[in-house]
Amino acid sequence: MSIAGLVERHRSAVYLSLALLTLGGLLALFTLPAGIYPEVTYPRVVVVAKQGTFEVQDMTVAVTRPIEEAMSGIIALQRIRSRTVRGATEISLDFAPNADMQYSLTQVQGRLAQLEPSLPAGLDITAERLTPSVFPIIQYELRGADPVQLRDIAQYQIRPRLARLPEVGGVEIQGGLVREVSVVLDPERLVSSHIGVEQVAQAIQRSNVVTAAGRVDREYRQSSILVSGLTSTPDAVAGIVVQQVGPRSIKVGDLGTVRYGAEDQFQLITGDGQPAALINIARQPNGNALRIDDEVRAALDSVRPLLPAGAELKQVYNQATLVRESMKSVRDAMLVGGALAVLILFLFLGRWNTTFAASLSLPLAVVGTFGVMALAGQSLNLMSLGGLAVAIGLIIDDAVVVVENIERRLALHPDDPPDEVIRRGTDEIFGPVAGSTLTTVVVFAPLGLLQGVVGSFFQSFSIALAASVLLSLAIAMTLIPALISQMVRRANARAVPPEPHHAIIDLHRIEAWYTALADRLIGHRRVVLGVAALLLIGGFAMMKLVDTDFLPQMDEGGFILNYWTAGHYAGGAGCN
């Protein structure tokens, strides 16, 4: 049985299948992750170690070199690069493009755990895979109050509310001043008591613990006994005993002053010249930047009434805005392109009913592609939407060819049964249409087989384009013949004469002009071949003059200023 005959026999099933495909695509459209670029896995692990008091030379000897030596020999590791500044070092581990990055991260973390006891005390060290989700997509600054209070509000009020949002991957607080209990020792008292600074530090550390001392079982109840030495106030720290000299206890308060203070500051963050706390919000892998933006705004709106007088939350960076504007631009381009395609189709067909039947392939194929993207684990980004935008003209091609061939057949055989004419017109055009569509798929499919970062980018593009043109082929060969057959049946049932075919554009004049031009060009083959050769050579020459880059330049509306001091220590400042 032919394809057209199968469709005619199971028309209801065809309509139901397309309806389910459309519903699935619409559902996927509102659930797909959204971002600027596809979710890319870079073959790199970044190790960051921070120790605020170390100079560059000390940091290099005590931290950077031991970590570099410990990382040597990891499977698939190709290159180690390091950058050391005062109090911090960043070590980039580049792996082979096909390396299992989760396993590589596990190896790095294992070696860091083995090395950690030999590294300086108080070193803050982290290891992360380099992915787009590592970088913050939204930043807010909190200002207008005491720096210590700003840090407390950001850390203990704002961060918990944001961290529990479904698609938020991490919330980092920077700036402000971290509250602490400071112990300022008096050198003269230490000398007179024969006590060193290290003894005081060890005494505080030994006391600031919670110990399980046992349990009590009574009347079918079990109670735990805890002995707590946790200290959170200056008076509690001042009462810690450092040394017992006979009946006299030498306490921390006897050796100096204990008061509330702030940690040493190694990072300065300001907003409009005022001290500020910066709130960095990163998304989870495959998180939807637009949905995160909406949830973060709602969460922060609930916090604003709780802020002290004069404090304000201000957004300083929002990648979701760029995503929203970019997607809106691509959407508008697709709508304009689709409208122009339908208009051109009407100008040449001259009938609204057949134009409607052919134009249905556009929204159905595009919406269905969203469902395929969801099944393939893709996201809405500039590459996938760009593939759909490119496919707009290709989608309607199949429908135009099928409609035109059926219309021509109906005009040539007015006395034959319409269903039989439509069946023959669809079957005879299936081969050329399928060949044309599959050629397009074969051309773009290899882009999805590329490896590494480039492959991750072009995979979204190729999947969106290939899925849309394949769906357009299926719709052109199933839905359009069924719709035209139904239109013809209704017209015959109402005894309405066939609508005359009057194309708005005079195709006969265009055909005559093209025939004359083709005859003239065939008569001057050498000239035509010479012009083609010149264009080919000129194209290759111009290609050498065009700049190349991995991604186009994008303006996010901000500046990053890097500066180096006279001591050759690197620093940075951000300005919005």
Side-chain angles (χ1 to χ4, degrees):
M1 180 179 292
S2 65
I3 294 180
L6 188 64
V7 171
E8 180 66 24
R9 184 176 179 181
H10 303 285
R11 181 180 302 175
S12 299
V14 170
Y15 290 162
L16 178 62
S17 300
L18 290 174
L20 293 176
L21 177 66
T22 303
L23 290 175
L26 289 174
L27 178 63
L29 176 61
F30 293 101
T31 57
L32 278 171
I36 297 180
Y37 299 121
E39 196 66 34
V40 180
T41 301
Y42 298 100
R44 180 181 298 175
V45 173
V46 178
V47 179
V48 177
K50 298 179 181 178
Q51 171 46 278
T53 59
F54 275 44
E55 296 295 337
V56 174
Q57 294 81 0
D58 299 331
M59 197 76 185
T60 302
V61 173
V63 179
T64 305
R65 288 179 181 172
I67 293 178
E68 288 179 343
E69 294 172 358
M71 295 301 109
S72 299
I74 290 181
I75 297 174
L77 179 62
Q78 293 184 334
R79 186 183 183 187
I80 300 177
R81 294 178 296 164
S82 64
R83 178 175 177 268
T84 304
V85 298
R86 184 179 184 273
T89 182
E90 180 182 279
I91 301 172
S92 298
L93 308 174
D94 296 333
F95 291 83
N98 57 348
D100 184 347
M101 292 310 300
Q102 188 59 46
Y103 177 62
S104 299
L105 178 61
T106 303
Q107 292 185 87
V108 172
Q109 291 172 335
R111 299 208 177 190
L112 289 176
Q114 294 177 354
L115 182 66
E116 191 170 3
S118 63
L119 295 175
L123 185 69
D124 181 18
I125 185 167
T126 59
E128 289 183 329
R129 292 167 52 189
L130 187 61
T131 62
S133 59
V134 172
F135 305 102
I137 63 170
I138 301 174
Q139 290 179 320
Y140 280 85
E141 65 179 16
L142 178 64
R143 65 190 185 195
D146 179 73
V148 174
Q149 189 179 17
L150 292 176
R151 181 76 183 213
D152 287 346
I153 294 173
Q155 186 72 35
Y156 302 113
Q157 295 187 31
I158 296 177
R159 185 179 180 276
R161 293 172 184 262
L162 300 181
R164 64 173 178 246
L165 297 178
E167 296 184 83
V168 170
V171 181
E172 181 186 12
I173 307 300
Q174 295 177 306
L177 292 175
V178 180
R179 186 187 301 273
E180 69 174 10
V181 176
S182 300
V183 178
V184 182
L185 298 174
D186 186 340
E188 295 182 357
R189 298 184 191 179
L190 290 174
V191 172
S192 62
S193 302
H194 303 287
I195 295 176
V197 175
E198 188 64 27
Q199 288 179 266
V200 179
Q202 290 177 356
I204 295 174
Q205 188 175 9
R206 286 195 305 266
S207 300
N208 195 34
V209 295
V210 176
T211 303
R215 67 176 185 270
V216 175
D217 297 327
R218 180 180 297 173
E219 297 179 356
Y220 303 102
R221 295 181 180 179
Q222 188 177 84
S223 302
S224 297
I225 300 175
L226 300 178
V227 178
S228 175
L230 295 179
T231 54
S232 57
T233 64
D235 292 340
V237 175
I240 295 176
V241 176
V242 179
Q243 187 174 323
Q244 191 77 28
V245 181
R248 176 170 172 256
S249 298
I250 301 177
K251 301 179 181 180
V252 174
D254 300 329
L255 302 174
T257 304
V258 185
R259 61 173 184 265
Y260 283 116
E263 290 184 359
D264 294 337
Q265 190 174 18
F266 299 101
Q267 187 181 55
L268 182 64
I269 292 179
T270 62
D272 292 337
Q274 304 178 38
L278 187 64
I279 304 164
N280 301 301
I281 304 163
R283 65 181 177 86
Q284 295 180 2
N286 292 319
N288 191 316
L290 304 182
R291 193 154 48 238
I292 292 174
D293 181 35
D294 294 337
E295 293 172 349
V296 167
R297 288 176 186 272
L300 294 181
D301 286 342
S302 66
V303 172
R304 283 190 170 90
L306 306 178
L307 297 178
E312 63 172 338
L313 265 172
K314 181 181 178 182
Q315 187 181 90
V316 294
Y317 175 71
N318 191 351
Q319 193 183 90
T321 302
L322 181 61
V323 174
R324 189 174 282 109
E325 293 299 324
S326 301
M327 294 178 63
K328 180 181 177 182
S329 299
V330 177
R331 180 203 64 192
D332 293 344
M334 292 170 59
L335 291 175
V336 172
L340 291 176
V342 173
L343 176 61
I344 296 298
L345 187 61
F346 173 70
L347 293 178
F348 279 94
L349 292 179
R351 293 184 183 178
W352 279 114
N353 54 359
T354 51
T355 300
F356 171 76
S359 61
L360 270 181
S361 62
L362 271 175
L364 293 179
V366 170
V367 172
T369 302
F370 293 135
V372 177
M373 289 168 56
L375 294 176
Q378 298 297 314
S379 63
L380 293 176
N381 52 73
L382 294 184
M383 296 300 293
S384 58
L385 293 178
L388 278 175
V390 171
I392 288 296
L394 302 175
I395 289 174
I396 205 168
D397 278 352
D398 295 342
V400 170
V401 173
V402 173
V403 167
E404 194 280 332
N405 196 62
I406 291 176
E407 286 287 313
R408 184 176 59 85
R409 278 278 183 177
L410 289 172
L412 293 175
H413 306 282
D415 298 330
D416 293 351
D419 289 345
E420 182 63 27
V421 174
I422 294 172
R423 186 181 300 115
R424 290 200 305 264
T426 304
D427 290 341
E428 72 177 1
I429 207 66
F430 174 74
V433 171
S436 174
T437 302
L438 294 178
T439 300
T440 303
V441 173
V442 169
V443 168
F444 287 98
L447 295 177
L449 303 178
L450 296 174
Q451 299 295 319
V453 176
V454 176
S456 299
F457 272 83
F458 281 103
Q459 188 179 62
S460 296
F461 179 87
S462 61
I463 287 178
L465 193 148
S468 59
V469 295
L470 288 175
L471 286 175
S472 73
L473 172 63
I475 293 170
M477 303 307 299
T478 57
L479 178 64
I480 290 177
L483 287 178
I484 295 178
S485 174
Q486 199 163 359
M487 291 176 185
V488 173
R489 285 184 178 181
R490 289 181 178 178
N492 292 339
R494 296 196 304 266
V496 177
E499 184 181 351
H501 184 276
H502 294 301
I504 298 177
I505 297 178
D506 190 351
L507 297 179
H508 296 291
R509 295 182 61 182
I510 296 178
E511 184 178 356
W513 174 82
Y514 173 73
T515 302
L517 178 62
D519 291 339
R520 182 173 298 180
L521 294 177
I522 292 173
H524 299 83
R525 293 187 182 90
R526 293 183 180 180
V527 176
V528 173
L529 293 176
V531 172
L534 289 175
L535 291 175
L536 183 62
I537 296 172
F540 276 107
M542 295 299 294
M543 185 174 64
K544 300 294 184 181
L545 301 177
V546 177
D547 294 334
T548 61
D549 204 343
F550 179 61
L551 291 172
Q553 297 296 325
M554 299 182 65
D555 184 0
E556 296 190 42
F559 298 92
I560 296 178
L561 308 178
N562 295 316
Y563 63 88
W564 286 263
T565 66
H568 302 291
Y569 298 126
C575 174
N576 287 275

